[in-house]
Amino acid sequence: MAQAQLVHRNFIAGEWVEGTQAVANVNPSDTDDIVGHYAQADAPQARTAIAAAHTAFQDWQFSPIQQRFEALERIGLELHARREELGQLLSREEGKTLAEGIAEVTRAAYLFRFYAGEALRLAGELLPSTRPGLTVEITREPVGVVGIITPWNFPIAIPCWKIAPALCYGNTVVFKPADLVPGSAWALAEIISRSGLPRGVFNLVMGRGSVVGEEMVNAPDVSAVTFTGSVATGSRIAVRAVARRAKIQLEMGGKNPLVILDDANLDTAVNVALNGAYFSTGQRCTASSRLIVTAGIHDRFVAALTERLGRFRVGHALEAGTEMGPVVDQSQLDIDVDYIALGKKEGGRLAFGGRRLERPQPGHYLEPALFVDTTPAMRINQEEIFGPVASVIRVKDYDEALHVANDIPLGLSSGIVTTSLRYAADFRRRSQAGMVMVNVPTAGVDYHVCFGGRKGSSYGPKEQGRHAAEFYTVLKTSYIEP
């Protein structure tokens, strides 16, 4: 009994529920450090959570907007007050630096507070009818039970930018976090459990995607599924969800270009590339993995970035001065190392890094890797690696740079570094990406504006900001004769 109390449990129908087994949450900065043990749910428990959310929806969809505001604001304020504590937990289990962990929790707090305000601003349209004497009212209503499946790389921000709007617009939630990062998810769920929400409105079900995720995707009572993760998994989810006519929102891969033109400020170019490619250990779908550099600045840029990488400090996520933490786990580290070997085999020249590193603590440390002399068709320039690996592609001019940037099946984020207003404006118009950055890193977006890509990167309505209403609500048109 004493051991069972040490396991962090699932939250189903307003109760903390033991799983069928528990798994250890391992610190990637120090694999001897166990962050905690977390319950794993089975399929029947997932079905119980879905049923609880379905039952709770019958009343929650009509809940007063003041009640929603107060619950979301309470969650946001506690997240903000505990941002340093929760940021340390996040960095300890995921491996991003402490500064990045605290910043992520801070963003999560603002997301809840933003949607608390949105609960008070639910709007519709009142229009005259073409028929005399009639009025037309268009309103938004909640879609129902929302299944939320999130990745490991942003273990609190991504759950928050899905959970907060779902609750704001009157939906109920079944939340399955990634297996690698249950600690942040559990801490968030514990805060939500004390926010005043009715039983069953929010449910946390930790467990395998092949078990819990399958139930959520296939359940008739789950009206909408929002997923962030790989292209392959997202594609499978889409086929199953659409087959039963569930609403679907997918945020998947990125192979994001950063174009650097001859007229760019060199320091800006290096700082933007370094941040976009290597911060958060490159484990961001918005990371700048393709550095497309025009001939006139190419050699100076490569030399300056290589020199900066030589001073880039890789270490324990919680240590002061660390600029890049470890890779999240051994499996991802192996993938990164395999891609580095593939890049060499394809003919790319490794200008810097790519070695496994030893640190005082046992962990998944990898030196940031920079390839040069690469071509657009190489697999390291076509496939998402999701690690601290970037490639330089040399081009002759802006027109070739734009073509290479767009010649990819994904289109999440893109960037350009230039002092030319003409090229900046043209790139913004012609870049085939959902988000375009000018002289700033491709990774990093505000919490109050929409997030999402084009082509193979995204499917369905955008996330965040007021545009989230497109996914979390359905429209109703009413005709009224006084």
Side-chain angles (χ1 to χ4, degrees):
M1 184 65 178
Q3 180 63 28
Q5 293 176 345
L6 298 177
V7 175
H8 296 77
R9 294 173 289 178
N10 290 301
F11 187 68
I12 300 174
E15 303 288 341
W16 293 103
V17 180
E18 293 183 9
T20 56
Q21 59 179 329
V23 296
N25 186 6
V26 179
N27 181 351
S29 293
D30 181 356
T31 54
D32 290 336
D33 176 33
I34 303 300
V35 179
H37 292 85
Y38 293 82
Q40 295 271 288
D42 59 8
Q45 287 178 318
R47 289 194 290 269
T48 299
I50 293 167
H54 179 68
T55 299
F57 177 69
Q58 310 314 313
D59 291 330
W60 180 249
Q61 64 180 314
F62 303 115
S63 57
I65 59 174
Q66 184 67 24
Q67 182 182 8
R68 299 182 201 175
F69 166 81
E70 289 176 356
L72 296 178
E73 178 76 353
R74 193 173 293 120
I75 296 165
L77 289 173
E78 182 167 347
L79 284 169
H80 195 265
R82 296 174 57 190
R83 60 191 181 278
E84 293 187 4
E85 167 206 345
L86 296 174
Q88 184 174 57
L89 169 64
L90 189 160
S91 295
R92 186 178 167 208
E93 74 168 350
E94 195 272 346
K96 63 183 60 176
T97 66
L98 181 57
E100 290 174 317
I102 294 172
E104 182 175 334
V105 177
T106 303
R107 179 182 177 186
Y110 288 143
L111 282 160
F112 265 97
R113 297 182 69 186
F114 173 82
Y115 284 108
E118 285 298 280
L120 303 179
R121 293 188 287 267
L122 298 176
E125 298 178 69
L126 194 64
L127 303 170
S129 172
T130 58
R131 290 171 284 174
L134 290 181
T135 299
V136 181
E137 184 180 29
I138 302 173
T139 54
R140 288 192 176 275
E141 298 183 353
V143 68
V145 178
V146 178
I148 294 176
I149 304 173
T150 59
W152 50 260
N153 61 324
F154 283 88
I156 201 162
I158 292 179
C160 286
W161 83 46
K162 295 176 186 288
I163 294 168
L167 298 175
C168 163
Y169 296 116
N171 302 285
T172 56
V173 168
V174 180
F175 167 41
K176 193 210 91 66
D179 288 346
L180 286 175
V181 287
S184 296
W186 188 92
L188 173 62
E190 196 276 331
I191 292 172
I192 294 174
S193 75
R194 294 183 282 98
S195 66
L197 295 175
R199 293 166 59 94
V201 169
F202 170 83
N203 303 270
L204 168 70
V205 188
M206 298 177 287
R208 300 293 300 170
S210 58
V211 177
V212 174
E214 285 291 310
E215 290 294 330
M216 293 166 62
V217 171
N218 295 324
D221 286 338
V222 175
S223 301
V225 177
T226 175
F227 166 84
T228 300
S230 71
V231 174
T233 302
S235 298
R236 290 196 298 270
I237 288 173
V239 169
R240 295 177 184 179
V242 171
R244 63 176 185 82
R245 294 173 297 283
K247 209 168 184 181
I248 189 76
Q249 179 186 65
L250 305 175
E251 287 299 335
M252 299 174 287
K255 193 66 181 173
N256 310 293
L258 177 66
V259 171
I260 299 170
L261 299 184
D262 287 352
D263 64 15
N265 178 283
L266 184 61
D267 289 340
T268 299
V270 169
N271 290 333
V272 167
L274 185 78
N275 182 306
Y278 301 111
F279 279 30
S280 297
T281 322
Q283 296 172 156
R284 300 186 285 192
C285 56
T286 52
S288 310
S289 53
R290 295 185 297 143
L291 308 177
I292 303 168
V293 187
T294 50
I297 198 174
H298 177 278
D299 292 352
R300 288 184 294 129
F301 170 76
V302 169
L305 180 56
T306 302
E307 189 277 331
R308 179 63 181 89
L309 286 172
R311 296 182 284 110
F312 199 54
R313 183 172 174 183
V314 180
H316 195 294
L318 301 182
E319 286 183 357
T322 293
E323 294 179 279
M324 189 180 91
V327 175
V328 70
D329 72 347
Q330 185 63 50
S331 176
Q332 184 62 50
L333 178 60
D334 290 341
I335 291 171
D336 295 347
V337 170
D338 286 347
Y339 268 109
I340 291 169
L342 174 63
K344 294 177 183 178
K345 183 178 179 180
E346 289 183 309
R349 179 169 66 85
L350 193 59
F352 185 88
R355 301 173 301 162
R356 297 185 191 227
L357 298 175
E358 297 294 330
R359 291 295 181 263
Q361 307 86 1
H364 308 302
Y365 296 103
L366 180 65
E367 195 174 30
L370 178 68
F371 278 99
V372 295
D373 301 334
T374 72
T375 62
M378 290 179 177
R379 285 179 57 191
I380 58 169
N381 285 325
Q382 291 289 318
E383 300 173 9
E384 185 176 39
I385 300 173
F386 221 66
V389 183
S391 304
V392 176
I393 304 171
R394 183 174 184 146
V395 294
K396 65 177 181 296
D397 55 21
Y398 169 75
D399 289 336
E400 185 182 2
L402 177 66
H403 172 75
V404 172
N406 287 336
D407 191 21
I408 196 82
L410 302 174
L412 181 55
S413 183
S414 69
I416 187 170
V417 184
T418 180
T419 56
S420 166
L421 293 176
R422 179 171 69 89
Y423 284 135
D426 188 76
F427 187 79
R428 286 170 54 208
R429 287 194 303 269
R430 298 170 65 189
S431 174
Q432 297 171 4
M435 298 176 289
V436 181
M437 315 296 188
V438 178
N439 295 325
V440 292
T442 58
V445 295
D446 294 341
Y447 61 87
H448 69 302
V449 298
C450 67
F451 176 96
R454 295 168 59 175
K455 300 193 280 191
S457 289
S458 302
Y459 182 82
K462 296 291 188 283
E463 299 195 277
Q464 292 197 144
R466 292 188 171 182
H467 296 274
E470 298 298 326
F471 177 71
Y472 292 100
T473 64
V474 292
L475 290 171
K476 176 181 284 184
T477 303
S478 302
Y479 290 85
I480 307 128
E481 182 177 12

